Amino acid sequence: MDFYSFLIQLLNGLQYGLLLFLVASGLTLVFGIMGIINLAHGSFYMVGAYLAFSLAALTGNLLTAVLLGVTLSVLLGMLLEWLFYRHLYARDHLYQVLMTYGLILVFEELRSILWGDDVHGVAVPVFLSGSIPLTDNLSYPVYRLAISGICLLLAGGLYWLIRKTRLGMMIRAGAANREMAQALGINIEWLYTVVFALGLTLAAFAGMIAAPVSSVYPNMGGEVIIISFVVVVIGGIGSVWGALLAAILIGMSDTFGKVLLPEYAGMTTYLLMALVLLWRPEGLFRRT
Amino acid sequence: MTNYKRRDFLKNGAALAALSGASAAGVLLPATLAQAQSAAGKIRVGLMLPYTGTFAQLGVAIENGFRLALAEHGGKFGGRELEFFKVDDESDPAKATENANKLIQRDKVEVLVGTVHSGVEMGILKVVRESGTLHIIPNAGADAATGGLCAPNVFRTSFTNWQPSYPLGDLLIKRGHKSAVYLTWKYGAGEESLGGFRDGYSKAGGKILKEMFLPFPNVEFQALLTEIAALKPDAVVCFFAGGGAAKFLRDYAAAGLKGKIPLYGSGFLTDGILEAVGDAAEGIETTLHYGDGIDTKRNNAFRLAYAKTFKLQPDVYAVQGYDAGLLLTAGLDAMKGDIANKAGMIKAMENVKIDSPRGPWTMSKAHNPIQDIYLRKVVGKENKVMGVAHKALADPARGCKMA
C-alpha cells in the first residue's frame, strides 16, 4: 500500500466510523443513559430507511422525506415509550431483552406486510450526487462526505445537549438517581418519553440518510444492532464522545482489517472490543 | 456473536408461529392412514422449503413452479395424484435434520423436494442418504450435494455454485481482460463460485490478481474498492446477491470504477434488484442458467402459463421448481406410477431429457443438470439474454463416486 492509498483508506475508515456513530448514537442515549437494553434499536433504523423510501417516492424529494420522517419518528417514539418501554424501567434486563426482541419480530413482520420483501433504492439528492476524483480511476461520492459532516454535527449537538443544556442536566440527574431527581421536581416520566423519542429518532434518521448508499432491504436492522452495541460498549456506556471515538476506531479496524488481513476481516472488530475491555472493562470513557 | 448468527436468530423467531401451524396439520393425519395408501393411492410428496424469512419468496416460487408442472400433466404424475406435506424449513440449518426426519418418518413421504439454503440442504442430505428416500433439490447450489456427498437417490434441477461462474473465465479472455480481481462474501456459495471462476479463468490463460473477501453479510465495500482502484485489473468479477448486491453495484458506480474497470458477475448479482439499483447496474454482464428474456416458444409458453395461474412473473426459482416437477413425472411415467420401484425410478430419472423453459438439459452421472449457461446483460430494467456463454456445461462433480 503506497502512502496515497493509505490516506484514502484512512478516509474510508473515518467515513465508515462516522456512519457507525450515527447509527449507534441513539443507542448511547437509550442504553447508556436510560439503562434500557433496546434490541429493537436496529428496527428503528430499518423503519427510518423504509420511511425515507416511501416518503421520498411520495414527495419526490429526500430532504422533505427526511423532515416528515423525523416528525413521524418522534411521534412513534413517544407512542412506543408510552405503550411499551415505560413498563420496563423498573424491571430486570431480562424483561427488557424479551420485550425488545419481541418488538423486532413485530417490526419485521409489519415491514413484510407493508413493504414486501424486495430490495428498494432511494435516490441521492441531485445537489449531492456528484463525486470528487481522488486518483485516475477512483472518486469519492459527495453524498458520503455529506453524511460524515452530518455525523460530526450530530456528535457536537448531542454533546452540547447532554452537557450544556438544562434538559441534558435533567437527563443526567434522572440517570444518576431517578427518585432524587423526581423529589427535586423533575418530571421524570415526561423526560424519559422525550429521551426515548430522541433515541428512536436518531436511529430512524440514521436509516433515512444511509438509505441512498445502503439500499433498503429486509433484515437491515439486524445487521446494525450488534455493531451498535459494540460501539456503545467500547466507548463507555453513556458517553457520547466515547461512542464517537469507538465508532471511528471500529471504522479503522474494519477498513484496514479487510485490506491487510482479509482472511480474518470478520474478527478484527471483535478482537478490538476484547482488547479494549481487557484494558478498560468499563469502556474508554465511562462516566457516571 | 456474529451478524450472521443474529440474522438467523431473527428469522427463527419470526417463523416459529408459522412452523407450529404447519406441523399441527401433519399431526392431525393418523399414522394408519399413511399405511392404508397403497400404490394405487396418492403419492406422498414432501415439500421442505422456506416459507418465512428472507428466502420466503423463493420457496413460494419453487412450489408454484412444481404445481404448474403438475397442473399441466392433468394433476397426475405417472397416473397418480399427489398428496403434499409441507414444512417451513425457515432457512435454518440447525433445524434441517429434524425437519427432514419429520417428513420422512412421520409423514412417510416417498419423495422429498427441497430446499433453497445450502446449509439446510446439508442437513437434508444427511437424512436422505441414510433413509434412501428419493430427493430432488430445486435450488441449493452447494457443490457437495452432487459432488463429494452425491448419492443415487439425490437429484438436482438447479445448478452447482461452480457452474454459472465457470464460463466467465473464457468470456473475460475473449474480451481481452487478462487480469482480474475476484470479490465475494466469505461463505460457502461465494467461495464455491470463486472456484468455478478460478478453474475457467486459469484454463483460458487469465490471471487473478487478488481474491478479496468480506465477512458475510458485511456490506462496507469502500476499503476493497479503493484497493481495486490501486490494483488496476482489466476486470472485476464478483458474487453477491440481494441487498448486498444492490449496495455493491451502487458503491462500484459511486466510486467511479464503473466504466473504467468492467464488472462481471456470476449467478444472481443482478436478479431482483434492478429497480432498486437503477443506472448503476446498466450494462453489467452476468452468467446464469436462466434469463427471463430467453425468447423460445417453450419459455414464452411457460411464462404465460405461470403469469396466468399465479398472477406473478416467474423467475429462475420458479423454473427450477417446475423442472423438479418435470423430473419427477419423467420417473413416474416410466414406472407407471410405481414409485416403490426405487431402482427403476432412479434409472428413469437419470436418463431424462428435460424440456425446460431454460432450454433442454440432461442429467449428469452425479445427478446435476448438464445445461447451457447464458450470458445476460442489464439493459434498462431487465436482464437481457445475449446468448449462450457455455453450451451444455457439466459440473466437474469432484469427489463423487458415481461420476
Side-chain angles (χ1 to χ4, degrees):
Chain A
M1 198 185 336
D2 57 74
F3 185 64
Y4 197 60
S5 309
F6 175 74
L7 285 185
I8 297 174
Q9 294 293 18
L10 271 186
L11 178 66
N12 289 334
L14 184 69
Q15 193 265 328
Y16 179 45
L18 286 171
L19 192 64
L20 282 181
F21 170 76
L22 184 63
V23 181
S25 57
L27 195 67
T28 319
L29 280 181
V30 175
F31 177 44
I33 294 176
M34 295 168 66
I36 299 278
I37 298 192
N38 183 22
L39 294 180
H41 186 75
S43 301
F44 303 155
Y45 172 80
M46 177 189 76
V47 167
Y50 276 89
L51 277 179
F53 162 67
S54 285
L55 294 172
L58 208 65
T59 62
N61 179 336
L62 186 64
L63 280 183
T64 327
V66 168
L67 285 179
L68 276 174
V70 164
T71 317
L72 286 176
S73 305
V74 172
L75 294 177
L76 178 68
M78 290 179 155
L79 183 72
L80 283 180
E81 199 274 345
W82 179 64
L83 278 176
F84 300 110
Y85 282 83
R86 68 173 39 186
H87 307 291
L88 289 179
Y89 300 138
R91 300 215 182 198
D92 192 57
H93 282 328
L94 187 62
Y95 290 93
Q96 304 178 351
V97 168
L98 271 177
M99 197 203 75
T100 54
Y101 180 66
L103 282 179
I104 293 181
L105 305 181
V106 171
F107 276 111
E108 273 301 323
E109 280 309 302
L110 280 178
R111 190 265 312 142
S112 184
I113 293 166
L114 289 175
W115 282 289
D117 294 326
D118 286 335
V119 180
H120 297 290
V122 178
V124 172
V126 177
F127 68 100
L128 291 173
S129 63
S131 53
I132 300 164
L134 290 181
T135 66
D136 52 342
N137 59 2
L138 184 72
S139 43
Y140 223 81
V142 172
Y143 189 75
R144 278 177 177 265
L145 297 175
I147 292 181
S148 303
I150 293 171
C151 296
L152 282 174
L153 280 180
L154 260 179
L158 268 182
Y159 178 78
W160 175 77
L161 177 77
I162 291 171
R163 290 277 137 198
K164 306 286 179 199
T165 64
R166 192 172 172 79
L167 178 65
M169 230 182 329
M170 294 197 291
I171 292 172
R172 280 181 288 137
N177 190 331
R178 203 184 143 92
E179 284 76 22
M180 183 59 83
Q182 222 158 4
L184 291 173
I186 295 172
N187 185 345
I188 287 284
E189 286 193 0
W190 175 242
L191 185 71
Y192 271 34
T193 310
V194 170
V195 174
F196 182 79
L198 181 64
L200 184 147
T201 306
L202 280 170
F205 179 70
M208 286 176 224
I209 71 166
V213 284
S214 76
S215 303
V216 175
Y217 52 95
N219 286 325
M220 61 187 298
E223 287 170 18
V224 301
I225 182 69
I226 300 289
I227 200 80
S228 299
F229 270 106
V230 172
V231 168
V232 173
V233 168
I234 291 186
I237 291 163
S239 164
V240 174
W241 281 140
L244 180 61
L245 187 68
I248 291 172
L249 272 177
I250 291 173
M252 293 294 172
S253 78
D254 184 81
T255 300
F256 285 97
K258 271 179 198 152
V259 178
L260 301 174
L261 302 165
E263 288 289 308
Y264 307 102
M267 269 168 54
T268 47
T269 303
Y270 302 99
L271 202 63
L272 176 77
M273 177 167 84
L275 288 176
V276 168
L277 292 184
L278 273 178
W279 172 50
R280 297 185 77 143
E282 306 246 275
L284 294 172
F285 282 81
R286 172 77 184 189
R287 292 222 181 95
T288 47
Chain B
M1 203 204 283
T2 66
N3 288 348
Y4 180 58
K5 280 182 186 158
R6 165 94 202 154
R7 273 160 55 96
D8 277 355
F9 190 41
L10 300 185
K11 272 181 274 172
N12 302 346
L16 261 178
L19 178 73
S20 52
S23 16
V27 169
L28 289 177
L29 207 99
T32 45
L33 198 67
Q35 277 118 33
Q37 275 157 353
S38 60
K42 292 180 178 176
I43 292 172
R44 306 169 74 83
V45 178
L47 293 180
M48 183 163 157
L49 292 165
Y51 292 106
T52 54
T54 315
F55 290 143
Q57 284 174 327
L58 282 61
V60 171
I62 289 167
E63 185 182 335
N64 285 349
F66 193 90
R67 285 185 186 273
L68 181 63
L70 182 61
E72 288 181 355
H73 285 79
K76 286 180 179 174
F77 283 167
R80 291 174 64 185
E81 287 178 19
L82 307 190
E83 180 171 13
F84 289 102
F85 296 85
K86 285 162 68 167
V87 164
D88 177 8
D89 70 28
E90 307 165 46
S91 296
D92 181 2
K95 292 184 192 152
T97 46
E98 187 193 329
N99 282 332
N101 270 323
K102 248 184 230 163
L103 284 171
I104 288 171
Q105 287 173 10
R106 187 193 65 198
D107 300 332
K108 309 257 183 288
V109 300
E110 290 156 297
V111 54
L112 197 166
V113 179
T115 187
V116 170
H117 187 288
S118 280
V120 178
E121 182 52 46
M122 288 300 162
I124 300 183
L125 280 176
K126 196 174 146 235
V127 174
V128 297
R129 278 166 61 89
E130 276 168 25
S131 70
T133 314
L134 276 179
H135 175 42
I136 302 175
I137 308 170
N139 186 66
D143 288 352
T146 55
L149 293 175
C150 72
N153 56 319
V154 175
F155 292 83
R156 176 148 54 192
T157 60
S158 51
F159 60 95
T160 63
N161 289 325
W162 183 95
Q163 254 179 332
S165 58
Y166 178 82
L168 275 174
D170 218 25
L171 179 77
L172 257 62
I173 293 297
K174 274 193 199 134
R175 298 278 164 85
H177 308 318
K178 294 201 173 59
S179 65
V181 163
Y182 191 93
L183 187 72
T184 186
W185 280 311
K186 192 161 183 57
Y187 74 143
E191 287 175 287
E192 290 182 351
S193 181
L194 166 62
F197 174 67
R198 202 193 280 134
D199 285 358
Y201 199 44
S202 59
K203 198 174 151 207
K207 186 170 178 260
I208 299 183
L209 293 182
K210 191 162 184 186
E211 295 166 1
M212 298 181 177
F213 298 102
L214 279 96
F216 181 80
N218 186 310
V219 290
E220 189 54 35
F221 302 107
Q222 208 61 33
L224 299 180
L225 293 176
T226 304
E227 235 194 327
I228 288 171
L231 284 169
K232 298 193 174 64
D234 291 345
V236 174
V237 180
C238 69
F239 179 92
F240 293 112
K247 180 163 194 303
F248 180 73
L249 294 177
R250 282 168 159 258
D251 284 0
Y252 196 81
L257 290 168
K258 189 172 183 290
K260 295 200 180 96
I261 304 175
L263 176 66
Y264 295 85
S266 55
F268 305 92
L269 180 70
T270 53
D271 272 36
I273 57 161
L274 291 178
E275 285 296 329
V277 176
D279 289 345
E282 185 71 25
I284 288 174
E285 291 174 290
T286 54
T287 44
L288 197 65
H289 53 288
Y290 184 67
D292 295 350
I294 296 175
D295 192 17
T296 57
K297 233 171 111 186
R298 183 74 185 90
N299 188 43
N300 291 337
F302 165 76
R303 295 191 71 84
L304 188 67
Y306 190 96
K308 263 193 188 156
T309 314
F310 304 107
K311 311 281 175 261
L312 277 171
Q313 285 301 313
D315 52 17
V316 59
Y317 310 106
V319 173
Q320 291 165 178
Y322 182 76
D323 286 4
L326 295 186
L327 175 65
L328 183 61
T329 192
L332 283 169
D333 286 349
M335 291 293 106
K336 307 230 173 351
D338 184 14
I339 196 167
N341 182 351
K342 215 169 265 172
M345 282 292 295
I346 289 171
K347 198 157 166 31
M349 285 162 76
E350 273 173 346
N351 292 327
V352 292
K353 185 171 180 192
I354 300 284
D355 182 22
S356 165
R358 73 182 96 161
W361 59 266
T362 54
M363 198 57 92
S364 76
K365 287 209 173 80
H367 295 176
N368 188 65
I370 300 176
Q371 56 190 334
D372 294 350
I373 303 294
Y374 296 93
L375 174 65
R376 305 136 13 117
K377 185 175 185 176
V378 178
V379 180
K381 292 275 155 66
E382 59 174 323
N383 283 299
K384 221 172 155 173
V385 175
M386 308 303 287
V388 176
H390 199 297
K391 199 107 194 95
L393 181 64
D395 182 83
R398 293 193 178 105
C400 176
K401 294 202 174 77
M402 304 192 309

